[in-house]
């Protein structure tokens, strides 16, 4: 590291050997650099990097460095420094910190909205920046949500809504077609979308509210949907659809899986009292009678 920094110092006109650098006061060197080279872009980045590497977290120095980066529009370097310093509590109180984060997030969203070959990269980066920002709950994500929605990155759109304080992820999910909901589940499986577990739960709840279980039937997502519905004690809709479709064996398996997870429920206890060789229709009838599922009973 001494060799790297001595080389960077020489690029700014300061001649130091690696040995000189290793023995120097890093804080003194940083303050000297800032005093004499605060208008030079390379020196500003050098100050920020040294302050990070050698844990120099003086608030007044850092606030001045970030303001100068904003002033000189060193957006790429500012973004790098903000991400690197996001986990340092001593810097969370800087007066210009929120402005700096807002600037880099807005820049990334703007690049994503222009389209082109790098558009997906910028969209992902914008969402990552929002996730890492200490001011996530105060970040306006409407434009980012719109960009993700336009690109049919529905999972990313909902993730952006979830991590903000605006809370309109339900509205987004409920507005999507069945085809788009399934595309979103594929997106969650094939990419590292933040909050993917919560988004999957939201999609499954929308499918359940629409009783559109056929969307997932025959896909790799159906097992996860069934597990979700069993876990939240909400299988009645799926059970009714399965029985009325004449798929009694599948319906009975659903009831037995539910009963294993909710053994203390009266309906599960009624199933447990049956003989292991009981017919599927008998299993379903015992379960449905406890829950007064009229449609299921009529279909048996």
């Amino acid at each position: 590291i001494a060799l790297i920094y001595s080389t960077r110092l020489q690029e700014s006109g300061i001649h130091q050997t690696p040995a000189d650098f290793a023995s120097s006061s890093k804080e003194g060197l940083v303050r000297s650099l800032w005093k004499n080279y605060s208008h030079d872009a390379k020196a500003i980045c050098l100050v920020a990097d040294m302050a990070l590497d050698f844990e120099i977290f003086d608030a007044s120095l850092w606030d001045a460095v970030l303001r100068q980066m904003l002033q000189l529009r060193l957006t790429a370097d500012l973004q790098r420094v903000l991400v690197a310093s996001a986990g340092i509590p001593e810097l969370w109180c800087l007066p210009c910190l929120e402005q700096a984060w807002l600037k880099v997030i807005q820049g990334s969203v703007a690049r994503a909205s222009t389209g082109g070959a790098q558009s997906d990269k910028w969209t992902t980066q914008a969402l990552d920046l929002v996730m890492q920002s200490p001011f996530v709950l105060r970040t306006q994500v409407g434009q980012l949500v719109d960009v993700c929605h336009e690109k049919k990155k529905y999972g990313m759109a909902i993730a952006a809504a979830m991590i903000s304080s605006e809370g309109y992820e339900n509205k987004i999910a409920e507005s999507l077609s069945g085809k788009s909901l399934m595309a979103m589940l594929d997106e969650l499986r094939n990419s590292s979308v933040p909050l993917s577990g919560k988004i999957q739960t939201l999609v499954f709840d929308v499918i359940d509210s629409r009783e559109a279980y056929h969307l997932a039937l025959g896909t790799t997502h159906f097992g996860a949907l069934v597990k979700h519905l069993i876990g939240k004690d909400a299988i009645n809709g799926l059970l009714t659809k399965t029985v009325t479709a004449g798929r009694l064996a599948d319906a009975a398996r659903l009831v037995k899986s539910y009963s294993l997870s909710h053994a203390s429920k009266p309906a599960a206890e009624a199933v447990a009292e049956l003989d292991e060789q009981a017919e599927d229709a008998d299993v379903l009838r015992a379960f449905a009678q406890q829950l007064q599922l009229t449609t299921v009973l009529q279909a048996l």
Side-chain angles (χ1 to χ4, degrees):
I1 193 169
L3 177 59
I4 293 172
Y5 275 118
S6 64
T7 301
R8 291 182 66 182
L9 285 165
Q10 289 182 33
E11 291 174 354
S12 294
I14 301 172
H15 299 288
Q16 274 201 348
T17 66
D20 291 335
F21 179 84
S23 63
S24 67
S25 165
K26 306 306 183 293
E27 183 169 354
L29 184 54
V30 163
R31 292 189 181 280
S32 177
L33 274 169
W34 182 247
K35 179 180 179 180
N36 296 295
Y37 298 91
S38 60
H39 296 286
D40 179 80
K42 284 186 178 181
I44 293 169
C45 295
L46 180 56
V47 166
D49 290 340
M50 284 185 63
L52 284 170
D53 284 339
F54 298 102
E55 300 183 357
I56 302 166
F57 301 140
D58 178 79
S60 60
L61 172 66
W62 268 98
D63 193 61
V65 169
L66 295 185
R67 288 184 187 278
Q68 193 69 335
M69 285 183 147
L70 283 167
Q71 180 69 26
L72 297 181
R73 299 181 180 179
L74 305 178
T75 307
D77 290 304
L78 177 60
Q79 177 179 312
R80 176 178 56 79
V81 168
L82 289 176
V83 170
S85 63
I88 302 172
E90 294 92 332
L91 303 182
W92 292 348
C93 62
L94 300 182
C96 76
L97 188 61
E98 185 169 3
Q99 177 189 359
W101 272 101
L102 179 61
K103 181 69 175 179
V104 298
I105 290 171
Q106 287 178 336
S108 194
V109 174
R111 287 190 291 271
S113 65
T114 59
Q118 298 294 312
S119 181
D120 285 351
K121 171 188 172 182
W122 294 125
T123 304
T124 301
Q125 183 184 88
L127 182 57
D128 287 342
L129 287 171
V130 172
M131 290 284 293
Q132 294 176 79
S133 170
F135 309 99
V136 57
L137 294 179
R138 298 208 296 266
T139 303
Q140 300 295 315
V141 298
Q143 186 180 0
L144 176 57
V145 170
D146 290 342
V147 169
C148 293
H149 202 283
E150 182 181 339
K151 297 177 178 300
K152 298 183 179 180
K153 300 289 186 181
Y154 302 120
M156 294 179 69
I158 290 178
M162 280 183 167
I163 60 181
S164 77
S165 60
E166 298 173 22
Y168 52 91
E169 60 271 11
N170 288 351
K171 184 177 180 181
I172 297 173
E174 289 164 1
S175 71
L176 297 176
S177 67
K179 182 178 179 180
S180 295
L181 289 172
M182 296 311 297
M184 179 161 37
L185 290 177
D186 289 336
E187 177 190 353
L188 297 177
R189 183 187 60 196
N190 297 326
S191 61
S192 55
V193 176
L195 305 174
S196 57
K198 290 185 177 181
I199 298 171
Q200 183 188 64
T201 293
L202 177 58
V203 173
F204 287 161
D205 286 341
V206 172
I207 289 174
D208 185 39
S209 69
R210 297 179 185 177
E211 296 188 348
Y213 312 107
H214 63 282
L215 294 172
L217 187 63
T219 73
T220 57
H221 306 295
F222 188 72
L225 170 62
V226 172
K227 183 178 179 180
H228 168 72
L229 295 176
I230 290 174
K232 65 177 291 190
D233 193 2
I235 69 166
N236 292 357
L238 177 58
L239 178 62
T240 301
K241 286 282 188 179
T242 307
V243 171
T244 55
R247 294 167 45 219
L248 300 191
D250 290 337
R253 279 193 292 271
L254 174 62
V255 164
K256 290 175 182 177
S257 295
Y258 170 91
S259 299
L260 289 173
S261 297
H262 301 277
S264 62
K265 296 283 186 177
E269 291 176 345
V271 171
E273 291 173 358
L274 297 174
D275 185 273
E276 290 185 4
Q277 303 303 317
E279 296 290 332
D280 292 337
D282 293 331
V283 171
L284 296 169
R285 189 173 292 107
F287 187 86
Q289 284 174 344
Q290 286 291 329
L291 297 178
Q292 299 180 350
L293 301 178
T294 305
T295 303
V296 173
L297 292 169
Q298 292 176 343
L300 294 173

